[in-house]
Amino acid sequence: MTVTLGERTAETVAVYFEKTRSPAVQKMLPQKARTVEEALADFQKTREPGAKSFGRTIYAGGQYVGDVWCYCMDPGGDPQAMVSYCVFEQALWGRGIAAKALGLFLEEVRERFGLEHIGAFTFASNTGSIRVLEKNGFRLAEVFTEDGVESKYYRK
């Protein structure tokens, strides 16, 4: 299946917010925004000059299926940014779409922003996300427990 990245828009942000309300996605992906209005306000901040986050939409076979983004962008920092991703179409989980999308995204942020040192958090129980990170060259840096949940921090 062909995986491509596209532009995020207010429309895709609203779709993403609604699609990620499913219990299966919520279990794997903590989210800051509690309403679609909050999600749209956060998206608008990414469009401002000097924004510290950047995201793309994920398409598989021409269908919008998720997002990938980096946040806390700081070219002089270590890491230079944090990355996150979500394929919200559960029927497509385990088919390599997130791994391919993340690879494409990492190439783009390296070229566009010069970002090479990237961090990522995932729940220790999220074996799919761990595989995505490791396929893209991330290595485990730390295991920790927060609010009673074991998590892992990866670096590339």
Side-chain angles (χ1 to χ4, degrees):
M1 181 171 302
T2 302
V3 176
T4 59
L5 302 180
E7 295 295 322
R8 291 181 77 228
T9 65
E11 181 180 297
T12 61
V13 168
V15 169
Y16 178 86
F17 182 83
E18 293 305 321
K19 294 279 192 172
T20 57
R21 301 296 94 196
S22 78
V25 172
Q26 290 285 302
K27 180 179 164 189
M28 300 294 175
L29 182 70
Q31 293 177 295
K32 182 181 126 216
R34 298 290 173 225
T35 66
V36 70
E37 291 80 15
E38 286 178 12
L40 289 167
D42 288 344
F43 165 67
Q44 288 304 326
K45 289 177 189 172
T46 70
R47 300 172 64 86
E48 295 174 1
K52 299 293 182 193
S53 61
F54 172 74
R56 303 284 275 155
T57 51
I58 302 170
Y59 288 82
Q63 175 187 353
Y64 174 45
V65 299
D67 281 12
V68 57
W69 63 97
C70 56
Y71 57 98
C72 297
M73 291 169 49
D74 176 6
D78 185 25
Q80 296 170 308
M82 298 298 293
V83 71
S84 197
Y85 45 86
C86 176
V87 171
F88 52 70
E89 292 296 345
Q90 295 174 50
L92 299 176
W93 288 2
R95 296 180 62 189
I97 293 166
K100 177 68 174 170
L102 180 58
L104 293 170
F105 185 75
L106 292 171
E107 287 176 28
E108 182 172 347
V109 297
R110 184 174 36 255
E111 290 173 13
R112 187 172 184 159
F113 302 106
L115 303 179
E116 295 186 29
H117 304 285
I118 310 288
F121 292 104
T122 188
F123 292 135
S125 62
N126 191 342
T127 56
S129 183
I130 291 167
R131 281 192 307 273
V132 167
L133 292 169
E134 291 176 348
K135 284 180 182 179
N136 279 283
F138 284 79
R139 297 293 171 248
L140 181 64
E142 181 182 357
V143 178
F144 61 96
T145 301
E146 185 175 65
D147 297 328
V149 178
E150 187 176 53
S151 296
K152 294 184 175 189
Y153 172 59
Y154 281 80
R155 293 179 55 98
K156 178 178 173 72

